[in-house]
Amino acid sequence: MLFPAVLASCIVSDSQGNPYLFGSPQGHFQLTDFKPVKGPSLPSDTRCFLGQFNNAVYMVSPQQPIHAYFFANQSWAQIQHSGLDVTNADMILDHDTLVFYALSDGGMYFLPITGASTATWTFQRKGNFPQGSKPILGFSQNHIFFLNNPTLKPGQTQVFVIHYAYFQPEIQTFTGALWPQQPGKTAIVPVKDNSVPLLFAYVPNDFSGTYLANAEVTKNTTVLLAAPPIKDINAVYTATFDTLYQLTSDYQLWQLPLNGNKWTQTKNQVLTQLGASIQNTTAASATTQPTSIPKTETKSSAKSLEWGVYVFALALL
């Protein structure tokens, strides 16, 4: 199956645990009843972050203002930000302080969300990461955990302590299921009473499973749940209090109860239409790309064809 290289949508839950889809070609929707949400169009490669205390979602896109949507009064706002190109930065939104923390080229930056219409990213400090590595950020217990470090063993992680703003010199080790050190996607699991999250989910690109990490003090344990049935490295994820959601590049919506081990698919006409649109667009793009270059002759005058290979974003079911 052909998938687009970048999914132009993100999913997130509100503070009551209702999942939403933002930035699709057909607009924004609540994913429980597919009721539309009025709002502006969003650029591609938009990422969604829940501000649980103020029941808002903050949407970050490269070279664009941060878009904020407030669930309670269904209003929108924009925050012009400067000081960091977020294109290649991985980031989290801190639960307690409503401050963004972004890792870019091994350096930590932060951006407070204060209600103002402008904000500036500030460099904090450099982390001790291997040259050329791209850590994946997980968040739990007011700490940032850095996955995908080729110098660490499976299940190990470096840690940034948010409220003291420093990188712990010690490596932390999680017991139980040991996640691989490779790229993937994470999702914060919010807590129903709005207290600090203790869990985050990690789906590595080898789809060896869904790793549910518990960073509660003195625990640092991980359990292994089923891998998503659709192995799409460009899929996006979000979690509610008790469920992990996957939205694939062709708008298949899957969910996994965190106390269970079976993914199920949610089907709806909106998702079907979005998926058909994506597949048609991707297929049309593939058929219009050149598949060969002009033929040339060798010195012996024997004619041969040199075939050029053009790489598309492929994901196999």
Side-chain angles (χ1 to χ4, degrees):
M1 179 176 291
L2 288 171
F3 286 115
V6 176
L7 180 67
S9 301
C10 59
I11 51 177
V12 68
S13 72
D14 64 12
S15 294
Q16 282 71 52
N18 302 303
Y20 284 78
L21 163 66
F22 287 95
S24 84
Q26 293 190 18
H28 322 300
F29 299 90
Q30 186 181 31
L31 291 177
T32 51
D33 57 9
F34 288 87
K35 180 180 178 180
V37 175
K38 294 181 179 180
S41 298
L42 297 175
S44 63
D45 204 12
T46 295
R47 289 173 280 178
C48 289
F49 302 88
L50 171 64
Q52 193 171 6
F53 279 134
N54 64 347
N55 197 20
V57 56
Y58 297 88
M59 290 156 269
V60 180
S61 309
Q63 311 301 323
Q64 295 287 334
I66 295 173
H67 289 79
Y69 178 73
F70 300 91
F71 292 102
N73 58 13
Q74 301 177 12
S75 64
W76 290 79
Q78 287 189 9
I79 304 170
Q80 302 291 336
H81 59 108
S82 59
L84 177 67
D85 181 357
V86 301
T87 303
N88 296 315
D90 198 5
M91 65 187 68
I92 61 96
L93 179 61
D94 181 41
H95 172 272
D96 289 359
T97 62
L98 208 62
V99 173
F100 274 105
Y101 288 86
L103 189 71
S104 179
D105 293 327
M108 186 66 75
Y109 295 76
F110 68 94
L111 181 98
I113 302 298
T114 63
S117 59
T118 59
T120 301
W121 290 95
T122 301
F123 175 77
Q124 197 158 54
R125 60 185 66 204
K126 197 80 170 178
N128 184 24
F129 300 104
Q131 184 70 27
S133 66
K134 294 183 178 180
I136 306 299
L137 275 59
F139 173 81
S140 176
Q141 195 71 11
N142 297 320
H143 291 61
I144 299 174
F145 300 89
F146 303 95
L147 315 179
N148 187 35
N149 185 330
T151 67
L152 299 183
K153 297 178 181 179
Q156 290 186 330
T157 176
Q158 293 169 278
V159 177
F160 182 83
V161 184
I162 288 177
H163 292 176
Y164 292 93
Y166 84 107
F167 288 92
Q168 279 187 354
E170 303 85 8
I171 299 300
Q172 289 196 19
T173 300
F174 281 66
T175 61
L178 303 180
W179 61 67
Q181 299 290 351
Q182 63 171 260
K185 300 286 179 65
T186 63
I188 300 168
V189 180
V191 180
K192 187 173 293 187
D193 64 2
N194 281 1
S195 58
V196 63
L198 302 175
L199 307 174
F200 68 88
Y202 170 53
V203 180
N205 282 358
D206 68 356
F207 293 96
S208 54
T210 299
Y211 295 81
L212 187 62
N214 184 346
E216 189 174 356
V217 176
T218 74
K219 288 198 174 178
N220 276 17
T221 57
T222 307
V223 297
L224 182 62
L225 303 177
I230 305 300
K231 295 172 174 54
D232 176 11
I233 63 172
N234 295 313
V236 292
Y237 298 83
T238 194
T240 61
F241 312 130
D242 55 10
T243 304
L244 179 66
Y245 289 85
Q246 180 204 47
L247 182 69
T248 68
S249 300
D250 64 344
Y251 289 94
Q252 295 184 55
L253 182 66
W254 292 82
Q255 60 188 72
L256 172 70
L258 296 179
N259 61 354
N261 206 23
K262 182 179 180 181
W263 290 83
T264 57
Q265 186 178 10
T266 298
K267 295 186 177 182
N268 178 272
Q269 185 178 359
V270 171
L271 296 174
T272 300
Q273 292 174 350
L274 285 168
S277 174
I278 290 294
Q279 288 299 319
N280 291 340
T281 300
T282 307
S285 176
T287 58
T288 58
Q289 297 295 323
T291 56
S292 65
I293 59 176
K295 60 185 179 180
T296 59
E297 292 187 358
T298 64
K299 290 182 179 180
S300 62
S301 299
K303 295 183 179 181
S304 64
L305 290 177
E306 295 181 347
W307 295 96
V309 179
Y310 295 84
V311 180
F312 299 95
L314 282 176
L316 296 177
L317 288 175

